[in-house]
Amino acid sequence: YNDGRPHTHMSRRLVLVAVLLVALVPASLHARDRAVLVYPREHSLFRHIFYTSHQRALRELLRGRYDLDIHVQVGTADAIFAIDVRGAKLLVLSGHGGPFAMHFAGRSTRTLDSSDRARLTALFAELDPTATIVLQSCNTGRGFAHLVKEAAGPLRHVIAATGTVPWDGLQITSVTPFEATLHCREGARKFDCTVRF
């Protein structure tokens, strides 16, 4: 039956149906993935390694895809283990490092090492099951990254370096899915020193 008047009742019903459908879509389909970035204590006025334009550019690149949770001037293991990483798809730990530890309070004091295995396992268990963990640090790929991979479990990915990483050594090669390359430097030679587990 058509009396020539606009079908306002039908239009209202269609709008109501559309609103209900949007409301019923799980929030997880709208949510952006989380990325947690941790930076160490660095108080030098000159020659910054972690608080640089390169790191700002990396964060802006990530911001297009992730909700960023950035922690700066972190210097202790307790501070790291207090960070909320629940559900994060990406965790970047930045600090000085060596084959067996990461240093967040300076180059000489270990912050994370094999004595933190249980706490690392508990921290990584809070991440998304397929999260990527990046150790933005020198030489961790020679040993410490293996411990991190063991603590992270079989489905989570670990990216680390086997040599000395300069201030601009981390390059993001893919945001989705996340992938990165670490370039190391020995004298004038710069090379890909990435290890992936």
Side-chain angles (χ1 to χ4, degrees):
Y1 175 78
N2 187 348
D3 60 1
R5 291 179 295 178
H7 296 283
T8 57
H9 293 298
M10 180 62 77
S11 298
R12 289 179 186 154
R13 286 183 188 150
L14 288 173
V15 169
L16 179 61
V17 168
V19 168
L20 288 173
L21 284 174
V22 169
L24 292 174
V25 173
S28 61
L29 294 180
H30 299 293
R32 286 158 44 97
D33 289 332
R34 284 186 72 212
V36 178
L37 283 62
V38 181
Y39 290 95
R41 281 190 190 149
E42 189 173 61
H43 298 297
S44 171
L45 295 176
F46 305 104
R47 299 188 65 182
H48 286 183
I49 297 173
F50 300 103
Y51 299 95
T52 64
S53 59
H54 178 71
Q55 292 299 316
R56 287 193 296 274
L58 293 178
R59 290 195 297 270
E60 285 309 307
L61 182 59
L62 291 173
R63 205 179 301 278
R65 175 65 179 83
Y66 297 92
D67 286 332
L68 297 187
D69 188 3
I70 302 169
H71 299 265
V72 298
Q73 300 294 346
V74 175
T76 67
D78 287 343
I80 292 168
F81 293 122
I83 293 171
D84 178 6
V85 300
R86 283 176 296 178
K89 292 277 282 189
L90 175 64
L91 172 63
V92 181
L93 296 173
S94 302
H96 300 290
F100 306 110
M102 286 188 74
H103 311 259
F104 286 79
R107 292 177 188 269
S108 59
T109 305
R110 286 186 174 194
T111 308
L112 299 176
D113 60 21
S114 60
S115 67
D116 298 299
R117 182 187 306 268
R119 294 174 84 187
L120 286 167
T121 301
L123 180 72
F124 299 150
E126 297 290 319
L127 295 168
D128 181 89
T130 61
T132 297
I133 302 163
V134 179
L135 305 179
Q136 187 177 202
S137 183
C138 298
N139 294 309
T140 50
R142 296 184 186 276
F144 184 69
H146 294 273
L147 180 141
V148 168
K149 173 58 181 173
E150 183 181 311
L155 299 180
R156 296 186 183 93
H157 309 282
V158 177
I159 298 173
T162 56
T164 302
V165 182
W167 67 274
D168 60 349
L170 177 66
Q171 301 294 323
I172 296 173
T173 55
S174 172
V175 177
T176 308
F178 182 85
E179 187 57 71
T181 298
L182 287 157
H183 292 95
C184 289
R185 181 169 289 141
E186 287 181 3
R189 187 170 76 99
K190 193 172 182 180
F191 58 98
D192 182 344
C193 60
T194 315
V195 292
R196 299 175 177 89
F197 304 104

